[in-house]
Amino acid sequence: MEKVLGIGGLFFRARDPAGLALWYRDHLGVALVPSDYTVSPWKQEAGPTAFAPFAQDSDYFGDPGKSWMINFRVRDLDAIAGELKAAGIAVTIDPTRYPNGRFARLHDPEGNPIELWQPEP
């Protein structure tokens, strides 16, 4: 069976698409979508990716009005959490160390949940 190779994009609606794209660029390092084909798009590092549909009534995302959450892999959870906090962004680090790594939660300016994951080596 032929399989997909990975996620090629994440597309979602936003009240302020341009402003939100800049927030993700400025605070998480996600490059803007190029305006032409001469510029390379954001390239993520190879690594594990969880693809997990959740039950409609799950409270894992927080706000029941949100139907998606993105999880970004990070190299140093404490460092990025410190930078985000210094920029005035609320970040909650889960104190539990799980077999697959450490996690933190934050929200973008439109209230969308974001999970940061530092995988175990």
Side-chain angles (χ1 to χ4, degrees):
M1 177 181 126
E2 190 66 25
K3 300 183 291 185
V4 299
L5 303 175
I7 296 172
L10 173 66
F11 308 97
F12 58 99
R13 291 181 172 92
R15 289 184 299 276
D16 178 9
L20 198 56
L22 291 172
W23 186 90
Y24 276 87
R25 182 197 68 191
D26 296 346
H27 296 291
L28 298 175
V30 178
L32 301 175
V33 173
S35 57
D36 63 61
Y37 292 102
T38 64
V39 179
S40 294
W42 175 58
K43 295 191 191 261
Q44 61 180 315
E45 292 184 16
T49 300
F51 183 83
F54 278 72
Q56 184 74 25
D57 60 353
S58 172
D59 62 355
Y60 192 72
F61 305 161
D63 179 353
K66 300 297 181 185
S67 61
W68 63 273
M69 178 182 72
I70 190 161
N71 171 297
F72 289 111
R73 279 177 280 138
V74 300
R75 189 175 338 277
D76 186 331
L77 186 66
D78 295 317
I80 194 167
E83 291 172 4
L84 291 165
K85 288 177 182 180
I89 298 167
V91 180
T92 303
I93 295 177
D94 186 333
T96 305
R97 285 183 174 266
Y98 298 91
N100 61 334
R102 298 174 60 218
F103 296 88
R105 288 287 182 94
L106 64 140
H107 293 84
D108 71 21
E110 296 198 6
N112 297 307
I114 298 169
E115 187 171 65
L116 302 177
W117 171 36
Q118 180 182 319
E120 283 297 317

